[in-house]
Structure formats: C-alpha cells, structure tokens
Amino acid sequence: MAFDNDTLLNRLQRWERGETPGPWCVSVFPTNRCNLSCVMCWQRYFRNDTSGELSDARLLELVDECAALGCRDWIIQGGGEPLLRASLVMQMCERIRSHGMNGRLVTNGTLLEPAHMRTLIEIGWDNLTVSIDGATAEVHDALRGVGAFDASTSAVARCAELRRKMNSAWPRLQFSTTLMRHNHDALQGIVELAQRLGCDSVLADLTCVSFGLENLVTREQHKELPGLVDRAKRRGLELGIETDFDHLVRSPWEPIFLHDPWASSKPPPRMLELACCYAPWYAVSVFAQGGVAPCTMDWNRHAPNLANASLKAIWEGAYFAKARAQMLLELPMECCYKCPTLFNGHSITLRRMDDAYVATEAIG
C-alpha cells in the first residue's frame, strides 16, 4: 500500500475539496469481557452485553477491508480486556502489519505473555500501551484490583528487556493513566516508574464524566492540575519520557461545543474551521458486537453493524453522513457529552495545524 504524501491533515483537507477518502484510523473492541473490575470502568454504570461478539473471521476480514480503504492506524482496545481473545488479537496484529499499517494495542497488562511480546517485536508492532494508574501497588490496586500492579509492571519490564535482547525499538512502550480524585497527583511518580521499567512515554486522561461522578477529580483538585502537569512534564524531559498531559487542564465539566466556529474565519467557512470534532471524517470505531460509529463514545445500538454490511458501505452510508452534517452545524451527537478531554484536544490540535498550513499557503 502506498502512503506517499498522505497525512491525517491532508486526508481531512481532501474532504474540503469534495473528495471522500477512507478512514485514517480504526479503533476496535474485540471483546467486552474483562478479568479486572476497575472502579472507573463503564461496565459499572452501563449494562454490559458480552454475547454476540464478532467472529475471528469477521475481524480478520475487517483488517483487509480497512487496508483497501486506505486506513493507516489501528487501536485494539476495550470494551474489556482484548487479550482475553489473545490468539485473535495476535493474528490481527500480524495481518495489520502485513498490509503496512501501524497499530496500538491497549491492555491492562495482566494477561500479557512472553509469546505475545515476542510476536509484537518480530512484526515491528508500533505501540503497546499498558494501563497504569499509580506509581505504587497501593494506589493502582485500589483502582484496578489486588495484584494488578505487580502483574502489569512485571509484564512491561519483561517486554522492555526482551525488546533490548532482540535489538528492536518496537513496540514503543507506553503507560496510559486515568486521572481521578483518587490519584490526581500521581503523574510525576508514574513518569518516574515508566523510566525505571524501560517505557518510552506516558499518556493520561481524566476519567469520563459519565462514568461515576464519585471518581471524577474535584474542582479543587482540577485547580491543582496545571502545576502537577507542569512538574510531571519537566520530569519527563529530564528522564527522556515523552508525555501528553496538556489537555488535562481543560475543564471536564464543560461541553465541547463552546467555541465560536466563525471567530477566526471569513465566510464561506472551510470545514476544518467550522466542525467541532473531526472524528466522523477520519475515524471508525468497531464495537464487540459489530456496531460501527465515528467515536468510541458512540454506543448507539441503532448504529450500522458489520454483521450485515461492509465497512465501505457503512463509511459512505447514512449514519456517518448524518454525524458529519451534525458536526458542521454544531449539533452534538448523543455521545458528545461523554467526550474525554483527550479526544477534544485532538480536534483542537488539528485545527491549529490547519490554520498554520493555510497561513503558510497564503504567504507562499
């Protein structure tokens, strides 16, 4: 597959020119089953149907469909714990790489075995993300379950060591942290833990507003976050650990539809200046039972399903067309009130990149 001159920003700008390129990235939930019971998990607040998962054959076929549509990036996540379907997940990773696509596997790390690590290293898998919510077992296990910290950190350390022995830079090892009122001050310690275990980066987000207000950072704690984020970022620079924390300082209580889309543009507006969220133009999320939507927050049971449609038909169909139209009109989808600050931040970053590109073109 040829990817010359193809970037996410260019892909979005093609929509502005009237083209209809395929999705840039796909997020897939192989299962809603999980071996842990985390305090912030959606399964505590919503009914979890673990029946009717897409078959191995359909998910492997999906990889081929995505490649044909020009997909570039994958995220295999949950839902539940994807390594409860470890054989399938490893096959998907291998097929994704065989098409020249990149991917990130997100796991709680407790089921990560040496054979999985070796497979990911051998195929040059891009990113392995392990959920770590505290720098100590005391903090992490209170949120994830007794024994989770030792199992997860031991797996990460083994993977880092195997990567060194096999003389490979891949997969990049990343911690993913969910900040709550129980661990809002844990970032610097987690950055230091990442360095000790051989990780490359730390990603963090605030727990979702709709997943139990008893877990959300308090407003007083949120006032402390700018200082905590700054110290953690500086510690990351000292230790050579990449971080993505800036979006944490934005308020999780405010809706994403607050900015003035006309503030920096002259009529007629371009799509990238007007739309609040770009997910419907570049992203596909595939849920365990086959539902397909633009966003991992969109759990609409009426969304189209891979069990009876191709990905191409869904991407070009009415559901995605409606989502795009709503975003252009600043009419939120039902899922938008659940939007994490991380997702919102991605659209803001892309908008700034596009503004810089347009300014450069105007000067040239």
Side-chain angles (χ1 to χ4, degrees):
M1 180 183 298
F3 291 144
D4 293 345
N5 302 317
D6 190 18
T7 66
L8 175 52
L9 183 59
N10 289 344
R11 191 77 65 93
L12 292 172
Q13 289 166 341
R14 287 175 59 191
W15 281 94
E16 290 186 319
R17 297 195 295 269
E19 301 177 42
T20 56
W24 176 267
C25 64
V26 57
S27 299
V28 61
F29 293 41
T31 184
N32 287 338
R33 292 173 285 134
C34 194
N35 62 320
L36 299 181
S37 183
C38 305
V39 300
M40 67 299 220
C41 181
W42 67 273
Q43 296 186 18
R44 290 177 174 265
Y45 307 98
F46 299 88
R47 178 175 172 269
N48 178 21
D49 181 4
T50 59
S51 65
E53 295 176 349
L54 285 176
S55 68
D56 290 12
R58 185 66 188 95
L59 284 170
L60 291 171
E61 183 182 36
L62 173 66
V63 177
D64 298 333
E65 291 181 67
C66 287
L69 288 173
C71 180
R72 292 287 302 271
D73 290 322
W74 283 74
I75 304 177
I76 302 175
Q77 58 183 330
E81 168 50 47
L83 290 180
L84 283 170
R85 298 183 73 178
S87 176
L88 164 67
V89 168
M90 291 300 111
Q91 291 180 68
M92 289 182 68
C93 292
E94 291 175 338
R95 187 169 293 194
I96 288 166
R97 291 298 297 135
S98 74
H99 284 293
M101 297 180 286
N102 293 318
R104 178 157 65 105
L105 172 60
V106 183
T107 170
N108 62 42
T110 61
L111 302 178
L112 191 60
E113 298 178 357
H116 306 147
M117 303 172 194
R118 184 172 291 276
T119 294
L120 297 177
I121 294 170
E122 289 176 343
I123 65 176
W125 186 252
D126 189 58
N127 180 288
L128 176 62
T129 297
V130 176
S131 300
I132 295 290
D133 295 321
T136 65
E138 179 181 9
V139 176
H140 181 84
D141 287 0
L143 303 173
R144 298 264 175 181
V146 176
F149 182 81
D150 287 345
S152 299
T153 55
S154 296
V156 170
R158 287 195 301 271
C159 191
E161 178 61 23
L162 183 59
R163 190 176 62 169
R164 284 192 293 269
K165 288 182 177 179
M166 296 178 66
N167 194 30
S168 176
W170 312 103
R172 308 301 287 174
L173 298 176
Q174 181 178 66
F175 280 164
S176 177
T177 298
T178 302
L179 284 191
M180 296 162 272
R181 66 182 60 193
H182 320 293
N183 68 341
H184 82 288
D185 57 354
L187 283 180
Q188 181 172 327
I190 291 173
V191 168
E192 293 168 347
L193 175 66
Q195 190 271 338
R196 291 197 299 274
L197 295 180
C199 283
D200 304 289
S201 61
V202 179
L203 171 72
D205 199 11
L206 300 175
T207 188
C208 188
V209 173
S210 60
F211 294 171
L213 291 176
E214 70 273 14
N215 295 318
L216 191 65
V217 294
T218 67
R219 293 182 185 271
E220 286 303 312
Q221 289 174 337
H222 198 264
K223 292 177 183 178
E224 299 175 22
L225 281 184
L228 294 170
V229 164
D230 183 64
R231 287 192 288 275
K233 286 171 57 181
R234 284 190 280 111
R235 189 60 173 145
L237 288 172
E238 294 170 358
L239 297 175
I241 300 296
E242 296 179 10
T243 60
D244 185 2
F245 298 156
D246 288 338
H247 61 93
L248 296 170
V249 302
R250 294 199 306 278
S251 172
W253 297 278
E254 295 176 353
I256 67 171
F257 293 87
L258 288 178
H259 75 278
D260 179 2
W262 297 89
S264 62
S265 63
K266 298 179 180 179
R270 293 166 26 255
M271 180 268 287
L272 289 184
E273 290 174 341
L274 186 59
C276 285
C277 174
Y278 303 138
W281 286 272
Y282 73 85
V284 164
S285 294
V286 179
F287 297 92
Q289 283 82 20
V292 181
C295 175
T296 56
M297 295 288 104
D298 187 7
W299 308 337
N300 191 333
R301 294 184 181 276
H302 301 293
N305 198 291
L306 283 177
N308 48 38
S310 70
L311 183 64
K312 177 178 172 63
I314 294 172
W315 177 251
E316 297 175 353
Y319 193 85
F320 273 75
K322 180 180 179 182
R324 293 169 191 135
Q326 286 187 223
M327 288 300 167
L328 287 175
L329 293 173
E330 294 226 316
L331 298 174
M333 298 169 62
E334 292 180 9
C335 63
C336 288
Y337 77 96
K338 296 180 287 190
C339 182
T341 58
L342 178 63
F343 290 8
N344 184 17
H346 196 206
S347 287
I348 292 174
T349 299
L350 286 168
R351 182 176 292 112
R352 289 171 178 165
M353 290 172 59
D354 186 58
D355 288 344
Y357 172 82
V358 171
T360 302
E361 289 290 292
I363 294 173

PDB file of all heavy atoms in Angstrom, residues 317-336:
ATOM      1  N   GLY A 317     -22.187   5.545   4.153  1.00  0.00           N
ATOM      2  CA  GLY A 317     -23.622   5.482   4.346  1.00  0.00           C
ATOM      3  C   GLY A 317     -24.217   6.605   5.169  1.00  0.00           C
ATOM      4  O   GLY A 317     -23.545   7.572   5.550  1.00  0.00           O
ATOM      5  N   ALA A 318     -25.512   6.432   5.490  1.00  0.00           N
ATOM      6  CA  ALA A 318     -26.305   7.497   6.101  1.00  0.00           C
ATOM      7  C   ALA A 318     -25.863   7.847   7.512  1.00  0.00           C
ATOM      8  O   ALA A 318     -25.924   9.018   7.922  1.00  0.00           O
ATOM      9  CB  ALA A 318     -27.785   7.080   6.105  1.00  0.00           C
ATOM     10  N   TYR A 319     -25.441   6.856   8.304  1.00  0.00           N
ATOM     11  CA  TYR A 319     -25.099   7.120   9.705  1.00  0.00           C
ATOM     12  C   TYR A 319     -23.924   8.084   9.808  1.00  0.00           C
ATOM     13  O   TYR A 319     -23.961   9.067  10.559  1.00  0.00           O
ATOM     14  CB  TYR A 319     -24.784   5.815  10.423  1.00  0.00           C
ATOM     15  CG  TYR A 319     -24.729   5.938  11.930  1.00  0.00           C
ATOM     16  CD1 TYR A 319     -25.887   5.851  12.700  1.00  0.00           C
ATOM     17  CD2 TYR A 319     -23.518   6.148  12.592  1.00  0.00           C
ATOM     18  CE1 TYR A 319     -25.844   5.960  14.082  1.00  0.00           C
ATOM     19  CE2 TYR A 319     -23.462   6.265  13.967  1.00  0.00           C
ATOM     20  CZ  TYR A 319     -24.630   6.157  14.707  1.00  0.00           C
ATOM     21  OH  TYR A 319     -24.581   6.281  16.080  1.00  0.00           O
ATOM     22  N   PHE A 320     -22.869   7.817   9.045  1.00  0.00           N
ATOM     23  CA  PHE A 320     -21.705   8.699   9.078  1.00  0.00           C
ATOM     24  C   PHE A 320     -22.009  10.040   8.420  1.00  0.00           C
ATOM     25  O   PHE A 320     -21.512  11.085   8.859  1.00  0.00           O
ATOM     26  CB  PHE A 320     -20.507   8.014   8.416  1.00  0.00           C
ATOM     27  CG  PHE A 320     -19.710   7.157   9.347  1.00  0.00           C
ATOM     28  CD1 PHE A 320     -20.194   5.916   9.753  1.00  0.00           C
ATOM     29  CD2 PHE A 320     -18.490   7.576   9.843  1.00  0.00           C
ATOM     30  CE1 PHE A 320     -19.465   5.111  10.625  1.00  0.00           C
ATOM     31  CE2 PHE A 320     -17.756   6.788  10.711  1.00  0.00           C
ATOM     32  CZ  PHE A 320     -18.241   5.553  11.109  1.00  0.00           C
ATOM     33  N   ALA A 321     -22.828  10.038   7.380  1.00  0.00           N
ATOM     34  CA  ALA A 321     -23.205  11.296   6.727  1.00  0.00           C
ATOM     35  C   ALA A 321     -23.954  12.198   7.698  1.00  0.00           C
ATOM     36  O   ALA A 321     -23.730  13.424   7.740  1.00  0.00           O
ATOM     37  CB  ALA A 321     -24.060  11.011   5.497  1.00  0.00           C
ATOM     38  N   LYS A 322     -24.834  11.608   8.492  1.00  0.00           N
ATOM     39  CA  LYS A 322     -25.581  12.397   9.481  1.00  0.00           C
ATOM     40  C   LYS A 322     -24.644  12.956  10.540  1.00  0.00           C
ATOM     41  O   LYS A 322     -24.780  14.121  10.956  1.00  0.00           O
ATOM     42  CB  LYS A 322     -26.658  11.538  10.134  1.00  0.00           C
ATOM     43  CG  LYS A 322     -27.489  12.282  11.168  1.00  0.00           C
ATOM     44  CD  LYS A 322     -28.546  11.380  11.792  1.00  0.00           C
ATOM     45  CE  LYS A 322     -29.347  12.136  12.847  1.00  0.00           C
ATOM     46  NZ  LYS A 322     -30.361  11.250  13.492  1.00  0.00           N
ATOM     47  N   ALA A 323     -23.693  12.150  10.995  1.00  0.00           N
ATOM     48  CA  ALA A 323     -22.741  12.622  12.003  1.00  0.00           C
ATOM     49  C   ALA A 323     -21.926  13.798  11.473  1.00  0.00           C
ATOM     50  O   ALA A 323     -21.700  14.788  12.183  1.00  0.00           O
ATOM     51  CB  ALA A 323     -21.822  11.481  12.422  1.00  0.00           C
ATOM     52  N   ARG A 324     -21.493  13.708  10.217  1.00  0.00           N
ATOM     53  CA  ARG A 324     -20.725  14.812   9.631  1.00  0.00           C
ATOM     54  C   ARG A 324     -21.568  16.067   9.524  1.00  0.00           C
ATOM     55  O   ARG A 324     -21.103  17.181   9.815  1.00  0.00           O
ATOM     56  CB  ARG A 324     -20.190  14.394   8.257  1.00  0.00           C
ATOM     57  CG  ARG A 324     -19.149  13.298   8.318  1.00  0.00           C
ATOM     58  CD  ARG A 324     -18.819  12.704   6.960  1.00  0.00           C
ATOM     59  NE  ARG A 324     -18.014  11.495   7.099  1.00  0.00           N
ATOM     60  CZ  ARG A 324     -18.214  10.367   6.442  1.00  0.00           C
ATOM     61  NH1 ARG A 324     -19.202  10.285   5.539  1.00  0.00           N
ATOM     62  NH2 ARG A 324     -17.444   9.322   6.647  1.00  0.00           N
ATOM     63  N   ALA A 325     -22.818  15.906   9.119  1.00  0.00           N
ATOM     64  CA  ALA A 325     -23.708  17.061   8.990  1.00  0.00           C
ATOM     65  C   ALA A 325     -23.951  17.711  10.340  1.00  0.00           C
ATOM     66  O   ALA A 325     -23.964  18.945  10.465  1.00  0.00           O
ATOM     67  CB  ALA A 325     -25.029  16.626   8.356  1.00  0.00           C
ATOM     68  N   GLN A 326     -24.143  16.896  11.381  1.00  0.00           N
ATOM     69  CA  GLN A 326     -24.373  17.441  12.716  1.00  0.00           C
ATOM     70  C   GLN A 326     -23.163  18.229  13.211  1.00  0.00           C
ATOM     71  O   GLN A 326     -23.309  19.311  13.795  1.00  0.00           O
ATOM     72  CB  GLN A 326     -24.705  16.320  13.698  1.00  0.00           C
ATOM     73  CG  GLN A 326     -26.088  15.745  13.535  1.00  0.00           C
ATOM     74  CD  GLN A 326     -26.462  14.758  14.630  1.00  0.00           C
ATOM     75  OE1 GLN A 326     -27.039  13.712  14.359  1.00  0.00           O
ATOM     76  NE2 GLN A 326     -26.135  15.087  15.857  1.00  0.00           N
ATOM     77  N   MET A 327     -21.965  17.693  12.992  1.00  0.00           N
ATOM     78  CA  MET A 327     -20.773  18.392  13.450  1.00  0.00           C
ATOM     79  C   MET A 327     -20.594  19.721  12.740  1.00  0.00           C
ATOM     80  O   MET A 327     -20.179  20.711  13.346  1.00  0.00           O
ATOM     81  CB  MET A 327     -19.538  17.510  13.230  1.00  0.00           C
ATOM     82  CG  MET A 327     -19.453  16.338  14.184  1.00  0.00           C
ATOM     83  SD  MET A 327     -19.393  16.873  15.918  1.00  0.00           S
ATOM     84  CE  MET A 327     -19.688  15.298  16.728  1.00  0.00           C
ATOM     85  N   LEU A 328     -20.923  19.785  11.452  1.00  0.00           N
ATOM     86  CA  LEU A 328     -20.812  21.044  10.716  1.00  0.00           C
ATOM     87  C   LEU A 328     -21.812  22.078  11.221  1.00  0.00           C
ATOM     88  O   LEU A 328     -21.571  23.280  11.147  1.00  0.00           O
ATOM     89  CB  LEU A 328     -21.012  20.797   9.220  1.00  0.00           C
ATOM     90  CG  LEU A 328     -19.859  20.103   8.506  1.00  0.00           C
ATOM     91  CD1 LEU A 328     -20.239  19.808   7.064  1.00  0.00           C
ATOM     92  CD2 LEU A 328     -18.603  20.956   8.556  1.00  0.00           C
ATOM     93  N   LEU A 329     -22.935  21.619  11.730  1.00  0.00           N
ATOM     94  CA  LEU A 329     -23.971  22.521  12.230  1.00  0.00           C
ATOM     95  C   LEU A 329     -23.861  22.750  13.734  1.00  0.00           C
ATOM     96  O   LEU A 329     -24.706  23.422  14.326  1.00  0.00           O
ATOM     97  CB  LEU A 329     -25.362  21.945  11.913  1.00  0.00           C
ATOM     98  CG  LEU A 329     -25.731  21.874  10.431  1.00  0.00           C
ATOM     99  CD1 LEU A 329     -27.043  21.127  10.241  1.00  0.00           C
ATOM    100  CD2 LEU A 329     -25.816  23.278   9.836  1.00  0.00           C
ATOM    101  N   GLU A 330     -22.792  22.191  14.354  1.00  0.00           N
ATOM    102  CA  GLU A 330     -22.599  22.272  15.804  1.00  0.00           C
ATOM    103  C   GLU A 330     -23.780  21.687  16.562  1.00  0.00           C
ATOM    104  O   GLU A 330     -24.200  22.192  17.611  1.00  0.00           O
ATOM    105  CB  GLU A 330     -22.331  23.712  16.241  1.00  0.00           C
ATOM    106  CG  GLU A 330     -21.033  24.280  15.738  1.00  0.00           C
ATOM    107  CD  GLU A 330     -20.253  24.988  16.819  1.00  0.00           C
ATOM    108  OE1 GLU A 330     -20.843  25.745  17.590  1.00  0.00           O
ATOM    109  OE2 GLU A 330     -19.037  24.761  16.888  1.00  0.00           O
ATOM    110  N   LEU A 331     -24.333  20.610  16.040  1.00  0.00           N
ATOM    111  CA  LEU A 331     -25.374  19.864  16.732  1.00  0.00           C
ATOM    112  C   LEU A 331     -24.738  18.602  17.294  1.00  0.00           C
ATOM    113  O   LEU A 331     -24.370  17.704  16.536  1.00  0.00           O
ATOM    114  CB  LEU A 331     -26.509  19.509  15.772  1.00  0.00           C
ATOM    115  CG  LEU A 331     -27.253  20.677  15.146  1.00  0.00           C
ATOM    116  CD1 LEU A 331     -28.246  20.171  14.100  1.00  0.00           C
ATOM    117  CD2 LEU A 331     -27.980  21.480  16.220  1.00  0.00           C
ATOM    118  N   PRO A 332     -24.567  18.495  18.604  1.00  0.00           N
ATOM    119  CA  PRO A 332     -23.858  17.345  19.168  1.00  0.00           C
ATOM    120  C   PRO A 332     -24.597  16.039  18.943  1.00  0.00           C
ATOM    121  O   PRO A 332     -25.823  15.984  18.900  1.00  0.00           O
ATOM    122  CB  PRO A 332     -23.777  17.678  20.665  1.00  0.00           C
ATOM    123  CG  PRO A 332     -24.903  18.634  20.904  1.00  0.00           C
ATOM    124  CD  PRO A 332     -25.032  19.434  19.648  1.00  0.00           C
ATOM    125  N   MET A 333     -23.820  14.987  18.795  1.00  0.00           N
ATOM    126  CA  MET A 333     -24.385  13.649  18.792  1.00  0.00           C
ATOM    127  C   MET A 333     -24.695  13.264  20.239  1.00  0.00           C
ATOM    128  O   MET A 333     -24.249  13.914  21.186  1.00  0.00           O
ATOM    129  CB  MET A 333     -23.392  12.669  18.174  1.00  0.00           C
ATOM    130  CG  MET A 333     -23.058  12.972  16.723  1.00  0.00           C
ATOM    131  SD  MET A 333     -21.648  11.997  16.111  1.00  0.00           S
ATOM    132  CE  MET A 333     -22.291  10.324  16.278  1.00  0.00           C
ATOM    133  N   GLU A 334     -25.448  12.200  20.403  1.00  0.00           N
ATOM    134  CA  GLU A 334     -25.826  11.788  21.754  1.00  0.00           C
ATOM    135  C   GLU A 334     -24.612  11.489  22.621  1.00  0.00           C
ATOM    136  O   GLU A 334     -24.642  11.635  23.836  1.00  0.00           O
ATOM    137  CB  GLU A 334     -26.732  10.559  21.694  1.00  0.00           C
ATOM    138  CG  GLU A 334     -28.103  10.826  21.084  1.00  0.00           C
ATOM    139  CD  GLU A 334     -28.964   9.579  21.048  1.00  0.00           C
ATOM    140  OE1 GLU A 334     -28.557   8.563  21.657  1.00  0.00           O
ATOM    141  OE2 GLU A 334     -30.025   9.616  20.411  1.00  0.00           O
ATOM    142  N   CYS A 335     -23.524  11.059  22.004  1.00  0.00           N
ATOM    143  CA  CYS A 335     -22.339  10.654  22.757  1.00  0.00           C
ATOM    144  C   CYS A 335     -21.456  11.827  23.159  1.00  0.00           C
ATOM    145  O   CYS A 335     -20.543  11.662  23.973  1.00  0.00           O
ATOM    146  CB  CYS A 335     -21.511   9.675  21.935  1.00  0.00           C
ATOM    147  SG  CYS A 335     -20.866  10.382  20.389  1.00  0.00           S
ATOM    148  N   CYS A 336     -21.691  13.018  22.621  1.00  0.00           N
ATOM    149  CA  CYS A 336     -20.722  14.092  22.782  1.00  0.00           C
ATOM    150  C   CYS A 336     -20.562  14.561  24.222  1.00  0.00           C
ATOM    151  O   CYS A 336     -19.489  15.048  24.594  1.00  0.00           O
ATOM    152  CB  CYS A 336     -21.111  15.268  21.888  1.00  0.00           C
ATOM    153  SG  CYS A 336     -20.841  14.949  20.123  1.00  0.00           S
TER     154      CYS A 336
END
